[in-house]
């Protein structure tokens, strides 16, 4: 998940060449004539030829290929959490892709002093999370939850853990059941709402560790790149067990650490130095190992790689290698993809908002769809059966307008966090500010 724009490297204009050397005569005059035979006039410089303007540097912009990948990853996350299809974790490992893209941007930013980069990344992350936490905590407290009395995290420790809603260094507390089963939302809504917060914790850990990781990568690229896979083989397979949320955090760091460092490799140009057939072949072997491991360690949801850390790490690693190896670095979306330009721009500008709120909004579609059962023409068994069969389709159709409303309601917090002017719908178009023409202008986001 990125936070902020990707600035491209413009093409520096070459320095203009010197003017042509003016003719100043020679030691001899006309051919075969001695110098004194022809009176010489003082040489004067001719008018210098006009110098063509230097080519304009490319306007810094976003890598639209990476933007497209991030948008696909976000859509896949929403679809996965709505339908629960395990095979989606194999078809497109969204979290690995998102961590790789964030790692590439982090490596780019670390051209500046590390502390300022970390402060900037944390500043962009926290305000959107605070807006989310205020709403979710208010709903929990309104339904009678008291973290001090929570059977799982009761007492003083439960209150201390509320700090993770301010800075996600650990797991924030939440009740497994809150409210009434007959309420608008299921009594497990808090679990679903807090589910995406693990990503923010892992992202924060990676951001803090990035200066050291990037230094290690530049000193020893291959060991740094492959070390997370080795760590996953230790902590993600039960060989070494770390209890509690600390174990979960370390496992997440290991599983997606390889993808984060692959972002470094992409930015530093390491992948481009490897022949494509070599990198793709090696990535395919790593992915094949991931599928083999998954086939022998299927979890409660079958082929859901989220339940199989080593399979998730290796499959995501190989998948990201192939995506970044074929990276075309588009300045604009080509061909038919261009019609999705505004949505791609919007989703990238509001990636944190979409990711944070989508689970809660999925659950909010349930009471809306349930209203359809009360319609007069829905009282027959046939109509009820038809709605039952298409229930998740209606949820899918409704969740996107709700996400759009949430973007309008709180998405501007991302702009404040990035020290930009708040925008309600940043899809790459804006109304011209000129009073005379009143014309509308569009620009690339």
């Amino acid at each position: 998940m990125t936070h902020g724009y990707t600035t491209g490297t413009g093409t520096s204009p070459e320095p203009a060449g010197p003017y042509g050397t003016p003719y100043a005569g020679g030691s001899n005059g006309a051919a075969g004539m001695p110098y004194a035979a022809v009176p010489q006039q003082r040489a004067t410089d001719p008018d210098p030829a006009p110098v063509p303007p230097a080519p304009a540097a490319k306007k810094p912009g976003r890598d639209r290929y990476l933007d497209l990948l991030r948008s696909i990853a976000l859509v896949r996350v929403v679809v996965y959490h709505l339908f629960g299809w395990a095979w989606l974790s194999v078809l497109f490992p969204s979290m690995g892709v998102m961590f790789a893209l964030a790692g590439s941007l982090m490596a780019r930013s670390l051209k500046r002093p590390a502390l300022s980069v970390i402060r900037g990344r944390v500043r962009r992350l926290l305000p959107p999370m605070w807006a989310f936490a205020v709403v979710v905590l208010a709903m929990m407290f309104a339904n009678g939850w008291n973290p001090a009395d929570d059977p799982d995290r009761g007492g003083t420790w439960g209150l201390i853990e509320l700090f993770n809603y301010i800075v996600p260094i650990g797991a924030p507390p939440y009740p497994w059941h809150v409210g009434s089963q007959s309420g608008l939302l299921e009594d497990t809504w808090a679990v679903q709402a807090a589910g995406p917060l693990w990503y923010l914790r892992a992202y924060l850990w990676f951001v803090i560790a990035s200066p050291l990781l990037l230094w290690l990568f530049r000193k020893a690229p291959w060991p740094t790149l492959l070390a997370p896979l080795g760590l996953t083989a230790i902590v993600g397979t039960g060989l070494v067990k770390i209890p509690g949320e600390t174990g979960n955090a370390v496992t997440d760091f290991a599983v997606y650490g390889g993808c984060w460092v692959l972002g470094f490799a992409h930015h530093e140009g390491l992948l481009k130095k490897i022949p494509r057939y070599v990198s793709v072949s090696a990535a395919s072997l790593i992915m094949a190992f991931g599928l083999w491991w998954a086939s022998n360690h299927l979890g409660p949801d079958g082929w859901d790689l989220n339940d199989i850390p080593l399979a998730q790490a290796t499959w995501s690693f190989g998948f990201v290698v192939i995506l970044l190896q074929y990276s075309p670095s588009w300045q604009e979306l080509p061909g038919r993809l261009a019609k999705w330009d505004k949505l791609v721009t919007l989703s990238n500008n509001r990636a944190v908002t979409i990711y944070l709120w989508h689970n809660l909004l999925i659950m909010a579609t349930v009471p809306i769809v349930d209203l359809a059962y009360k319609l007069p023409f829905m009282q027959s068994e046939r109509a009820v059966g038809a709605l039952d069969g298409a229930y998740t389709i209606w949820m899918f159709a409704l969740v996107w307008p709700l996400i759009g409303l949430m973007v309008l309601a709180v998405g501007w917090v991302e702009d404040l966090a990035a020290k930009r002017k708040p925008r309600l719908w940043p899809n790459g178009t804006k109304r011209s500010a000129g009073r005379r023409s009143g014309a509308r202008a569009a620009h690339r986001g």
Side-chain angles (χ1 to χ4, degrees):
M1 151 181 258
T2 68
H3 310 279
Y5 280 25
T6 308
T7 55
T9 303
T11 302
S12 301
E14 296 182 2
Y19 294 128
T21 304
Y23 175 72
S27 59
N28 294 322
M33 299 289 292
Y35 179 87
V38 178
Q40 297 292 320
Q41 295 181 350
R42 184 175 180 179
T44 57
D45 290 348
D47 293 335
V51 180
K58 291 182 180 179
K59 184 179 179 180
R62 301 183 67 107
D63 187 328
R64 301 302 280 167
Y65 175 73
L66 301 186
D67 284 351
L68 179 64
L69 291 181
R70 187 178 293 105
S71 298
I72 294 172
L74 284 171
V75 172
R76 206 284 283 158
V77 167
V78 175
V79 173
Y80 169 80
H81 285 155
L82 177 59
F83 292 97
W85 293 330
W87 53 267
L88 284 175
S89 64
V90 177
L91 178 65
F92 194 88
S94 286
M95 306 316 299
V97 172
M98 291 171 68
F99 279 118
L101 301 182
S104 179
L105 292 179
M106 191 67 187
R108 185 188 188 95
S109 298
L110 283 173
K111 295 177 181 178
R112 307 192 305 270
L115 287 179
S116 66
V117 173
I118 292 175
R119 283 198 301 267
R121 286 288 183 267
V122 173
R123 187 192 67 240
R124 292 186 178 199
L125 176 70
L126 296 186
M129 179 180 174
W130 294 340
F132 174 80
V134 166
V135 174
V136 171
L137 286 174
M139 293 173 62
M140 292 179 186
F141 294 148
N143 281 276
W145 178 61
N146 183 351
D149 296 333
D150 192 293
D152 298 318
R153 299 182 175 92
T156 305
W157 188 248
L159 295 173
I160 293 175
E161 284 190 328
L162 288 175
F163 179 77
N164 289 306
Y165 282 104
I166 302 175
V167 181
I169 57 176
Y174 50 84
W176 285 93
H177 299 277
V178 63
S180 172
Q181 292 185 353
S182 59
L184 288 178
L185 298 177
E186 295 181 10
D187 63 350
T188 60
W189 67 264
V191 180
Q192 302 297 326
L197 295 181
W198 75 268
Y199 173 81
L200 275 68
R201 176 185 64 193
Y203 178 85
L204 181 62
W205 281 35
F206 281 127
V207 165
I208 294 173
S210 281
L212 176 60
L213 287 175
L214 185 58
W215 180 82
L216 291 173
F217 175 78
R218 287 170 175 168
K219 293 292 184 180
W222 292 109
T224 306
L225 191 61
L226 299 176
L229 297 181
L231 181 59
T232 305
I234 296 173
V235 301
T237 61
L239 187 62
V240 173
K241 294 184 179 180
I242 304 176
E245 283 299 329
T246 301
N248 292 335
V250 172
T251 300
D252 292 336
F253 189 86
V255 168
Y256 297 106
C259 294
W260 187 274
V261 180
L262 275 174
F264 293 172
H266 173 259
H267 176 265
E268 299 286 302
L270 176 64
L271 296 180
K272 296 299 182 183
K273 297 178 182 178
I274 306 171
R276 182 172 291 177
Y277 75 92
V278 173
S279 60
V280 172
S281 299
S284 299
L285 290 175
I286 294 173
M287 295 169 69
F289 169 82
L291 292 183
W292 172 81
W293 183 268
S295 68
N296 291 281
H297 299 83
L298 297 180
D301 296 319
W303 282 87
D304 193 332
L305 299 186
N306 294 299
D307 300 328
I308 316 170
L310 185 57
Q312 177 73 284
T314 49
W315 179 262
S316 298
F317 185 92
F319 198 95
V320 168
V321 166
I322 294 174
L323 286 180
L324 296 183
Q325 183 66 275
Y326 283 89
S327 177
S329 298
W330 294 324
Q331 288 191 328
E332 295 184 358
L333 294 178
R336 295 182 180 180
L337 292 175
K339 66 181 180 180
W340 300 100
D341 183 83
K342 293 180 181 179
L343 287 178
V344 169
T345 301
L346 178 66
S347 63
N348 276 266
N349 284 328
R350 292 295 180 260
V352 179
T353 299
I354 294 171
Y355 184 79
L356 274 175
W357 291 91
H358 77 275
N359 250 11
L360 189 59
L361 297 177
I362 287 174
M363 299 199 71
T365 63
V366 173
I368 298 175
V369 176
D370 284 347
L371 292 175
Y373 288 103
K374 300 180 181 180
L375 296 174
F377 57 85
M378 291 295 300
Q379 303 309 307
S380 67
E381 292 185 5
R382 182 177 180 180
V384 170
L387 183 56
D388 288 342
Y391 201 97
T392 51
I393 300 298
W394 283 107
M395 292 174 65
F396 177 79
L398 286 170
V399 72
W400 301 108
L402 292 181
I403 289 175
L405 289 175
M406 193 57 63
V407 165
L408 291 172
V410 300
W412 50 269
V413 176
E414 291 194 55
D415 291 327
L416 294 181
K419 295 185 176 181
R420 291 193 297 259
K421 182 179 179 181
R423 301 164 295 172
L424 289 179
W425 197 255
N427 66 344
T429 61
K430 70 177 182 180
R431 192 178 299 273
S432 174
R435 292 184 179 180
R436 294 181 180 179
S437 63
R440 301 177 66 181
H443 68 90
R444 295 287 177 188

